[in-house]
Amino acid sequence: MLATKPTAPRSGRSRRASWLQRLYVPLMLTPVLLTIGVLFFGALIVALLQSFGHAPIYGIEEFPTLRHYRNLFTLPGFWSSVGLTFYYALVPTVVGTILSIYLALMLRRRFRGKGLVQFVYKLPLMIPYLVGVALTIVLFGNGGIIARGMFALGVIESTRDFPRLIYSHAGWGIMIVYLWKQIPFTTLIVYSVLMGLGRESEEAAATLGAHRWQTFWHVTLPQIMPGIVSATVIVFAFNFGSFEVPFILGGGFPNTLPVEAWRAFEDADYSNRLRAMAIVMFIGVLSGAVLFTYLAAYRRFERLRGRQ
Amino acid sequence: MTTIRSTLTLLLIAIAMIVGHVHAQPQGDPDAEAFRSAFLAGDLSWDAVLERAAAEGEVVWAHWGGSETLNTWIDTVVRPALAEYGVTLRTSRLTNTRDAVDLVLAEAAAGRGVGQGSIDAIWINGENFFTLSSQGLNFGSFADLVPNSQYFHFDTSNPASGPNLFDFGYPTNREEIPWSGDQYMCAIDTARLERSEAPADFAELEAWLRENPGRFTYVRPPQYNGNTFVQTVLYAHNPDGDGYVSFQNAADALGVDEFIRITQPGYEYLQRIEPFLLGGGGSDGMRGSPIYPEDQNGLEALFVNGEIDMACQFGMYNTAVSIETGRFAETAENVIFPAQGMIKNKNFIGVPINAPNPAAAMVLANVLASPENQISKLGTIGYVLGIDADLLTAEQQAEIDAVAPSLVGITYDELGAVTVPDTNASLVDVIEGTWTAFIERRSGSFEDSVRAAFADR
Amino acid sequence: MIARRRAGTTEIRRDDRDRLGPFGRFYVTFVVVAVVGPFIPLLIASFAFRWNWPDLLPSRWWWEARETARLPLGWDYVFSPVSRVLESAGNTVLIALLVTLLCTLISLPAARVLARERFRGKSFVEFFLLTPLIVPEIAVGLGILVTFIQLGLAGTFTGIILVHLIPTIPYMVRVLTSVFQGLSRDYEEQARVLGAGPLRTMWHVTLPMIMPGVIAGGLFAFLISSNIFLLTFFIGRGRIETLPTLLFSRVSGGGALDAVAAGVALIVCIPGIIMLVLTERFIKEEVFAKGFGG
């Protein structure tokens, strides 16, 4: 509450100073709290109120009702949507994290062209997901470059014979885009944590005769764990709420939850917008609950490890 | 503690802000209101309109912006034409016309009245116009008040005025002015599918799909290209055999039971062919994940990438123009499909009641309706005339014949013989709602799907 | 060098562990190919006039067709004002610059306090400022859209800049907090002791010291803002286009083999490539560690 700044000695100034000091922290925090509070939480509160039936703009006033949430859970395909959303979010997070840790470890070593690799691998981080989507369509579509190459080689006779990677519920295309964009992100975080750590403890372990794998598992991994946890939280949260990638590359109904929310919002029937709000609230709560559980489990794990 | 308290206060402010604005009172801009009543009463000379338009200085036109050729034509022809009147054209390129309608509705709900909106003109037709009309959000009956209205039949006793006075069977009340015509067309690539083997009606399509599973699909309703495909299926499967005629009635006049009776065979057909569409399971009962592209660009991409052999969408001269711009192969051709009826309609320029530059909107409507610009639009980008050609001079008619692109593989007579009108606008929501529930989501029996769609309307 | 020679046997082992094995080399090569390779067909597509199934290369190129074309094709269209590519690029940069500036001004005081002061409710504030990273953009976008339409902010630069603050502030606060944490207070206190007022201290001592960190955070905010699609799409309402929304309208149907779509996709990458060069120059990788490593 009170600032811990050293107090000025003279009494006349000190009264003013103490008044300033008491307000120092709140004043400094006000711009940020005001912006996030009004814009972000304001938006969420509007969505929340609408999902509970307060929407005078559409001439709907049935606050408070749970109807829109109840309808949601009985909607055909809703639970498939939940499953798909989890699937598309989780698989790239896990696979991408493993691949990123490996890449970060490789980047620490010496090899020819290292400067170039370190520069190039960050490119996807800098450009919008939609570019990744465009690249995926060009490459992996059933009439895309790879399919044409296989046709030219006589491997397939028609677009039909090419495995369906995009516009399908298996979601290969969606997950490829996520991996393409997110491996650089996670790698960058892990790599920079590794750089910050230095190699002393690893070298010590190696000197003591630990194998490479043992060194990684018992020395390196625990040290980079905080970085990995923050990266996975951000990546998972993003994938869970991502709209444009599954919207373009998805397999149609059942859609992921954000796409379902969008479709409900765009429906000709305005009362469906309340359902859209219920869906986005559900996405937020679900994603929050998953990440909270994950972070709590990690803290518990760290505590247990510390006690050993 | 203070921090938390100030945070809570902020949240309260946010709530107050949000709730407070919902209850704003609608009140128009008196100046725009005066112009509107004087213009609609016919008390203003066109020169006075031009003068006010120049003073307004700009016009905001919201239109579907997914076509490069159309965007180019608008920027190179319409923009300079308006500049001559001192009006700057600002276009809002939409992916979906409903977005513009939504904006007008939301602005009206927020109390922004005459002259206080943000859109002056919308390229509109069908259920979107129906929505604006039923909410009373049109500017007024302006279509016969602009000078170029002389090129349209508006006389109710003349059957030729039908397409100008009715939009999807719903009276336009001259609150929108035609600016383009459209024709549902199907293209094949003769390099992959011989003309003689191309299906000519829905029975042949089903038989062909069973032989060649996955080689056809249609745009996902509620996108209008998808709706129109479903409408043609329903026409062809009308058990009364009178095709489109039953669908000219409004939803209330038709009634839910009658709608169920006349559409059930069509929807059952759509369900039957679903496993054989692109991405479908390939055999009866195996649904797979049928791929319904989001819009006509997606459908065309599947067509040029060799995934489907026939693509149906609006655009009478689309095949000719697409060959010219390199999008389609030179072997692409049009076919008559389905022989039971190919939908033709007109589309319009509508002006919302809260248009911020109403006089400039009138000038835009007039510029778009000029014979010169209409013929340029036909010749350059292959968009069908919105004006009525029989009201033009013999010279202009000859020019039209000279500049019109080719129909690539079919003739006007063949096409004219199968042309049918759209369904009634009030049925469009029901048709797409039933499709979503019964075909896409399989959320219940056919009857339940229709009843739910009727109730949601 | 001297240390190396002296280290003797352990140094040899370390060298061995330090080199990239064959699998590692394969993996690193694969990453580079996977990042850059897909751009090759996109580049070809942007120069194609006609490129239908099953041709591996365009059957006719853009430069062969452009002379006789009645309408601008491919790159001619992309660079004509009709395509709005340049306008969108300008909007993207303008919005990102203003967002970066505003975001820095808003976040600096908070970062300073969060780095240096202890106060009750601090962890609550920290959590409060992290939530925008965890709650999906679509929830914010749908919630804010109707209110912004009512306030007349939809379709305006102000509206877009305001919503862009939501995802940028959390990152900015984290990066700047780590900058202040790494900054010793001694210099500022010395300046005060030597009689400099708070403003002069701020201007002549604090600011120069935090400048590298502020630049890093600014580049980060710029990058995030110029990549945002969904919020811009909702609030821009087709009236204000940025590069991501322009690309969305080109690929949302799935037609990316089209020359114009390919051209637009390539243009959309340019700000990112510039940012990549700038970040190589200005952002030390440790900044990311401080921002996220915890």
Side-chain angles (χ1 to χ4, degrees), chain C residues 23-39:
Chain C
F23 186 74
R25 212 171 300 143
F26 167 78
Y27 181 59
V28 168
T29 315
F30 174 78
V31 168
V32 171
V33 170
V35 166
V36 184
F39 284 99

Side-chain angles (χ1 to χ4, degrees), chain A residues 1-20:
Chain A
M1 173 81 279
L2 261 173
T4 53
K5 293 184 81 181
T7 0
R10 256 181 253 133
S11 64
R13 272 174 70 181
S14 94
R15 213 177 300 135
R16 214 179 91 218
S18 77
W19 177 79
L20 260 175

Side-chain angles (χ1 to χ4, degrees), chain B residues 123 131 135 300 316:
Chain B
W123 176 8
T131 305
Q135 303 280 324
E300 284 186 358
M316 193 162 185

Side-chain angles (χ1 to χ4, degrees), chain B residues 21 68-69 71-72 75 90-93 106 112 118 295 298 301 304-305 323-330 379, chain C residues 49-50 52-53 70-73 77 82 84 125 128 149-152 237-239 250 253-255 257-258 260:
Chain B
H21 270 277
E68 282 146 37
T69 56
N71 294 344
T72 306
D75 273 18
R90 286 179 49 206
T91 56
S92 182
R93 290 180 190 159
R112 295 169 66 184
S118 56
D295 56 26
V304 301
N305 276 341
I323 291 172
E324 192 194 330
T325 57
R327 188 158 171 80
F328 282 8
E330 280 154 314
Chain C
F49 172 71
R50 183 170 282 127
N52 289 321
W53 171 266
R70 289 188 304 155
L71 294 160
L73 299 172
Y77 180 82
V82 179
R84 298 194 180 164
V125 172
F128 184 88
I149 288 177
Q150 289 174 320
L151 296 174
R237 300 255 87 195
R239 308 253 325 254
R250 304 278 355 152
L257 268 180
D258 168 33
V260 172

Side-chain angles (χ1 to χ4, degrees), chain A residues 1 34 41-42 46 56-57 76 142-143 148 158-160 164 167 169 253 260 263 266 268-270 273, chain B residues 2-3 10-11 18 22 98-99 102 105 109 213 215 220 278 289 291 294 305-307 429 440-441 443 456:
Chain A
M1 173 81 279
L34 200 70
F41 284 97
V46 172
I57 184 161
N142 283 46
R148 289 177 189 204
S158 144
T159 53
R160 238 181 304 183
R164 194 154 277 293
Y167 311 139
H169 286 108
F253 180 80
E260 275 297 300
R263 292 217 184 277
E266 287 285 282
D269 179 6
Y270 284 93
R273 293 194 164 184
Chain B
T2 315
T3 332
L10 279 168
L11 295 184
I18 290 146
V22 168
R98 188 172 281 148
D99 292 348
D102 278 355
L105 291 181
R215 304 303 299 177
R220 176 205 311 277
L278 180 67
S289 304
I291 294 165
E294 202 58 34
N305 276 341
E307 293 196 54
D429 279 353
E440 185 184 42
R441 319 221 140 183
S443 51
D456 278 350

Side-chain angles (χ1 to χ4, degrees), chain A residues 12-163:
Chain A
R13 272 174 70 181
S14 94
R15 213 177 300 135
R16 214 179 91 218
S18 77
W19 177 79
L20 260 175
Q21 272 167 17
R22 205 172 308 140
L23 281 178
Y24 174 67
V25 168
L27 271 181
M28 297 285 268
L29 288 176
T30 300
V32 156
L33 294 181
L34 200 70
T35 316
I36 297 292
V38 171
L39 291 173
F40 176 71
F41 284 97
L44 289 189
I45 288 165
V46 172
L48 190 71
L49 287 176
Q50 290 196 1
S51 72
F52 284 116
H54 172 76
I57 184 161
Y58 311 125
I60 299 169
E61 184 55 90
E62 41 185 17
F63 187 83
T65 171
L66 284 171
R67 192 163 71 89
H68 301 288
Y69 288 94
R70 267 204 311 275
N71 289 350
L72 213 57
F73 303 140
T74 55
L75 215 62
F78 180 74
W79 294 108
S80 310
S81 291
V82 176
L84 276 179
T85 313
F86 262 112
Y87 166 59
Y88 297 153
L90 198 60
V91 173
T93 308
V94 173
V95 173
T97 305
I98 294 168
L99 292 176
S100 304
I101 294 172
Y102 188 60
L103 182 60
L105 290 173
M106 293 300 109
L107 284 177
R108 231 169 28 148
R109 306 223 184 145
R110 287 187 290 124
F111 56 91
R112 237 181 333 139
K114 182 172 167 177
L116 181 77
V117 174
Q118 275 190 312
F119 179 76
V120 163
Y121 91 91
K122 285 180 224 151
L123 178 66
L125 186 60
M126 307 286 162
I127 56 188
Y129 277 83
L130 284 162
V131 174
V133 171
L135 294 174
T136 305
I137 295 172
V138 171
L139 275 185
F140 298 111
N142 283 46
I145 294 304
I146 295 177
R148 289 177 189 204
M150 288 171 81
F151 179 83
L153 294 171
V155 182
I156 58 171
E157 285 175 11
S158 144
T159 53
R160 238 181 304 183
D161 306 331
F162 189 73

Side-chain angles (χ1 to χ4, degrees), chain B residues 129-151:
Chain B
F129 176 72
F130 176 72
T131 305
L132 281 188
S133 293
S134 52
Q135 303 280 324
L137 292 176
N138 283 313
F139 181 73
S141 305
F142 71 88
D144 54 349
L145 295 173
V146 298
N148 285 331
S149 63
Q150 56 174 302
Y151 302 112

